[in-house]
Amino acid sequence: GAGVSQSPSNKVTEKGKDVELRCDPISGHTALYWYRQSLGQGLEFLIYFQGNSAPDKSGLPSDRFSAERTGGSVSTLTIQRTQQEDSAVYLCASSPDPGPYEKLFFGSGTQLSVL
Amino acid sequence: GQQLNQSPQSMFIQEGEDVSMNCTSSSIFNTWLWYKQDPGEGPVLLIALYKAGELTSNGRLTAQFGITRKDSFLNISASIPSDVGIYFCAGPPGSARQLTFGSGTQLTVLP
């Protein structure tokens, strides 16, 4: 497709389980971002991948959160031992980098619910 | 970290009315962005501002980059039902590429 694709669109899990969220960026976009949006809140930066550089992990809230980007394309965000406070919408975005913010596009997100 | 204070938190307006919302920061931003988010979707960029004092329009939307570089506002004129959604201000702190977002303004347009 032409846009940023995220899967699954919804994920319900039990407290303590691990989850993996996937992001397929726009083809050719070298920069990829993960954000978290809690109910009624703005977006909170989690992690940023740029080409082959080491990712900026400064936004990850705890060591239960990790992400990887294979082959400079698809990215997976993993949350281990999920907690109820992890419930949120997880959004992925991609852009050419460097590039204007007019070229930054978001996916529709994964709604994560931890019971 | 740096925070963006966005107000109002929510607005209920009549169709046809004009709307204004603003965003302030305790530190300087060199870029101000305004996004709209519809339910179940990611944010979509409405207007990007790159220069202090800049006033930019996109149809019925007008945004300004404050001269102090610590604030920005968004105006929507003659609101219509499809303007309903959540509006976010955002900007990159310092030289970072990732964005800091305001907490959003939920806009409801009443017929």
Side-chain angles (χ1 to χ4, degrees), chain A residues 18-33:
Chain A
D18 298 350
V19 294
E20 286 189 350
L21 312 180
R22 176 186 168 106
C23 173
D24 282 273
I26 293 172
S27 177
H29 280 191
T30 56
L32 186 148
Y33 307 79

Side-chain angles (χ1 to χ4, degrees), chain A residues 33 35 37 40-43 45 48 56 58 91 95 97 99-102 104 106-108, chain B residues 31 33 35 37 40-43 45 48 50 88 92 96-104:
Chain A
Y33 307 79
Y35 289 86
Q37 185 175 24
Q41 299 298 313
L43 281 68
F45 165 72
Y48 162 44
D56 178 348
S58 60
L91 289 156
S95 73
D97 200 0
Y101 288 98
E102 287 84 348
L104 175 70
F106 285 85
S108 298
Chain B
T31 298
L33 308 168
Y35 286 87
Q37 185 178 30
E41 300 294 328
L45 183 66
Y50 294 103
F88 292 100
R97 285 290 300 174
Q98 63 268 28
L99 298 174
T100 296
F101 281 79
S103 55

Side-chain angles (χ1 to χ4, degrees), chain B residues 4-11 19-24 34 72-74 87-89 102-106:
Chain B
L4 295 180
N5 300 306
Q6 187 171 349
S7 64
Q9 187 175 19
S10 63
M11 299 184 74
V19 173
S20 184
M21 58 193 78
N22 69 83
C23 208
T24 61
W34 285 93
S72 178
F73 71 76
L74 175 71
Y87 292 79
F88 292 100
C89 61
S103 55
T105 296
Q106 172 74 62

Side-chain angles (χ1 to χ4, degrees), chain B residues 6-111:
Chain B
Q6 187 171 349
S7 64
Q9 187 175 19
S10 63
M11 299 184 74
F12 292 81
I13 61 169
Q14 295 291 140
E15 184 176 353
E17 288 184 344
D18 298 345
V19 173
S20 184
M21 58 193 78
N22 69 83
C23 208
T24 61
S25 171
S26 58
S27 56
I28 288 172
F29 277 73
N30 293 312
T31 298
W32 283 94
L33 308 168
W34 285 93
Y35 286 87
K36 182 190 179 202
Q37 185 178 30
D38 291 326
E41 300 294 328
V44 173
L45 183 66
L46 299 173
I47 293 180
L49 302 159
Y50 294 103
K51 187 177 178 181
E54 181 181 2
L55 185 71
T56 298
S57 293
N58 178 8
R60 294 177 297 104
L61 278 61
T62 301
Q64 184 158 28
F65 191 142
I67 197 70
T68 66
R69 292 194 281 162
K70 292 183 178 181
D71 63 339
S72 178
F73 71 76
L74 175 71
N75 286 341
I76 306 173
S77 63
S79 59
I80 59 177
S82 62
D83 291 334
V84 167
I86 305 176
Y87 292 79
F88 292 100
C89 61
S95 59
R97 285 290 300 174
Q98 63 268 28
L99 298 174
T100 296
F101 281 79
S103 55
T105 296
Q106 172 74 62
L107 179 64
T108 301
V109 179
L110 304 171

